[in-house]
Amino acid sequence: MKDLPALKLLPCLLFLAIVFRWQLTWATSAALRADLTHVDSGRGFTNGELLRRMAARSTARAASLRYSSSARPGDASKAEAVTVPMARGNTDTEYYGSEYLIHFGIGTPRPQPVALELDTGSDLIWTQCGCIVCFDQPLPLVDTSASATVRGLSCTDPLCRSGGGLPLSGCAADDNVCFYVYAYADQTVTTGKMMEDTFTFRAPNSTGIAAVPSLRFGCGVYNTGSFISNESGVAGFARGPLSLPSQLQVTSFSYCLTAIADGTASPMFLGTPDSLQAQATGPIQSTPFAPGPAGNSFYYLSLQGITVGKTRLPFNASAVFESLQEAFVSQMPLPVANNSDGSLCFAANPSSSAAPHPTKVAVPKLTLHLDGADWDIPRENYMLHVQDVDGTGAGDGLCLVIDSSGVDDGFTIIGNFQQQNTHIVYDLEANKMSFAPARCNKL
């Protein structure tokens, strides 16, 4: 099988909001629940602006993959696709941030809210507190002295030793607490002390809260780099011992993204949800995670083909993205629109007043062929209605929400835009991803 070049199915941005009500005892057998919200929702962006923002973030993410991967095209150990809906990027533009923020509370008796970038490419959980050099954030800094359950991690803890999970750590001479230095691909750096405290999430039945004791996190006092959103730190969701799923000892996590345009909350489950069949509108499918490059902790899948309409595209490492564009151009019943940002768009409203509304125009189907599963992407998850599509005021159009990173590196990003109204389960124990179309706003 030949490698698939850098085809990006654009991701989107989420925000995780927690509602605190009353205390429950957390158990590993039940899933913790949280609400997700698209970060760009309600900020006044047009669909065209959202498209450009998603494209820029996806480019940053592809750059981060190239930065962190030691694999080369043609390497048999490298998968042909990667799903990274929550990873930080690697670029010097304003779009380097992660796609999501996760909100929960730290400390007792009054949990202090944090808003952390959800990053599937790293392990450490950290938030700003006791700042010496910090970036601006809308939430108050975490005050560890206000928590009755916080403790500093001793320098003798195995975590603070070589091979314990921290790339660079040492001992603070003043209080014998482990300190860390953690860097990201975009040259963001956080330095601080390792702490342990109670994290508070929503309970699985959504009627209370669940407090999880003794979770470890970095209290960042010196933090510089790429932060421009509403975050106060980063929550690692990779496979290492310090990541949030690993510390919670959950065997899976999942989310079901509501339509971005709706601006409604999306559910996320840390742990096994009650049933993937709940609110499913189609078949449940599974595909195994594929081995990724050494030292890379993203979640990889094996993409074996793409079908546009009735045409299965040839896997040619130098031209698959071009083949995809050509297939849409040849099968769309609309002319190509002149679009200054480089996206493939179609003019849906010519001068005739009898022209159908863009959302009523028939478009070719899009199917991703994975190992053991065929993912039929809904129309609204790859074709976006854009007003003033060519920037001249001539009319609306439809834009394909798929882009190229411009480098034939074999990576494909299956982004969150394609995952709307699909329940996605990362089954860490069985090493597979399961998914089903679903009414996410009903879960």
Side-chain angles (χ1 to χ4, degrees):
M1 182 186 303
K2 295 183 178 179
D3 286 326
L4 183 68
L7 173 69
K8 302 196 306 297
L9 296 100
L10 301 181
C12 59
L13 196 58
L14 264 73
F15 177 91
L16 191 64
I18 303 298
V19 178
F20 303 109
R21 296 187 183 172
W22 60 81
Q23 191 80 14
L24 293 178
T25 301
W26 177 77
T28 56
S29 59
L32 303 172
R33 179 177 173 132
D35 289 336
L36 303 173
T37 334
H38 186 252
V39 166
D40 283 341
S41 177
R43 298 181 64 187
F45 296 118
T46 65
N47 279 354
E49 290 169 335
L50 287 173
L51 180 62
R52 287 189 288 273
R53 291 171 65 83
M54 287 187 289
R57 286 193 290 259
S58 192
T59 297
R61 195 151 293 101
S64 180
L65 284 172
R66 290 194 296 273
Y67 177 92
S68 60
S69 173
S70 60
R72 295 290 182 266
D75 184 345
S77 67
K78 180 171 64 62
E80 289 78 21
V82 55
T83 173
V84 284
M86 316 173 193
R88 290 182 58 82
N90 174 26
T91 179
D92 58 0
T93 73
E94 62 173 305
Y95 301 108
Y96 25 56
S98 170
E99 290 300 324
Y100 306 87
L101 299 179
I102 177 170
H103 286 216
F104 53 87
I106 295 180
T108 62
R110 295 179 60 87
Q112 300 176 59
V114 295
L116 309 183
E117 290 190 7
L118 199 57
D119 185 10
T120 55
S122 66
D123 293 317
L124 181 66
I125 307 166
W126 65 271
T127 189
Q128 298 195 121
C129 53
C131 283
I132 297 174
V133 175
C134 287
F135 53 86
D136 292 335
Q137 65 175 61
L139 292 172
L141 297 174
V142 167
D143 180 5
T144 55
S145 66
S147 175
T149 47
V150 71
R151 76 175 185 90
L153 207 63
S154 169
C155 296
T156 60
D157 191 284
L159 177 67
C160 200
R161 300 172 183 171
S162 178
L166 289 168
L168 183 59
S169 60
C171 188
D174 58 339
D175 55 9
N176 198 41
V177 173
C178 178
F179 76 82
Y180 71 92
V181 179
Y182 203 91
Y184 297 86
D186 62 356
Q187 300 183 8
T188 290
V189 176
T190 175
T191 302
K193 295 183 178 182
M194 292 300 300
M195 312 298 286
E196 186 176 275
D197 207 344
T198 297
F199 287 13
T200 307
F201 302 89
R202 282 182 61 179
N205 59 8
S206 300
T207 61
I209 63 171
V212 186
S214 304
L215 296 182
R216 295 174 170 188
F217 68 99
C219 176
V221 299
Y222 186 93
N223 315 296
T224 63
S226 308
F227 296 98
I228 59 155
S229 186
N230 299 315
E231 70 271 40
S232 60
V234 175
F237 259 66
R239 300 173 185 250
L242 285 173
S243 73
L244 187 57
S246 295
Q247 291 200 61
L248 290 174
Q249 300 180 37
V250 296
T251 58
S252 68
F253 63 89
S254 69
Y255 50 79
C256 196
L257 309 183
T258 58
I260 298 171
D262 293 348
T264 56
S266 302
M268 181 176 189
F269 302 93
L270 293 160
T272 304
D274 291 340
S275 174
L276 190 56
Q277 293 180 338
Q279 301 301 329
T281 59
I284 299 172
Q285 301 186 75
S286 296
T287 182
F289 287 122
N296 191 309
S297 55
F298 291 108
Y299 296 93
Y300 287 83
L301 303 173
S302 177
L303 179 61
Q304 300 180 347
I306 298 175
T307 294
V308 175
K310 296 182 179 180
T311 304
R312 181 146 178 165
L313 306 181
F315 260 40
N316 185 310
S318 63
V320 79
F321 178 68
E322 289 77 7
S323 297
L324 182 139
Q325 285 193 315
E326 291 170 0
F328 272 100
V329 169
S330 66
Q331 297 182 47
M332 282 290 292
L334 302 173
V336 174
N338 294 322
N339 188 279
S340 60
D341 65 9
S343 301
L344 176 59
C345 298
F346 302 89
N349 276 342
S351 56
S352 172
S353 60
H357 190 271
T359 58
K360 302 298 183 183
V361 174
V363 301
K365 290 182 61 177
L366 175 64
T367 302
L368 305 181
H369 303 290
L370 303 170
D371 183 3
D374 294 320
W375 192 345
D376 292 324
I377 307 297
R379 166 207 174 103
E380 61 272 15
N381 290 7
Y382 62 90
M383 198 66 74
L384 184 66
H385 173 211
V386 176
Q387 296 179 328
D388 191 15
V389 67
D390 61 1
T392 66
D396 294 0
L398 294 173
C399 290
L400 184 65
V401 192
I402 299 175
D403 196 13
S404 170
S405 68
V407 180
D408 294 334
D409 55 11
F411 286 120
T412 298
I413 298 174
I414 303 176
N416 309 318
F417 198 86
Q418 281 68 48
Q419 299 179 31
Q420 296 173 98
N421 283 311
T422 306
H423 196 168
I424 309 273
V425 179
Y426 291 70
D427 190 332
L428 308 179
E429 186 174 49
N431 198 40
K432 67 179 181 180
M433 187 186 85
S434 298
F435 61 95
R439 291 180 287 267
C440 295
N441 61 344
K442 301 294 185 182
L443 285 173

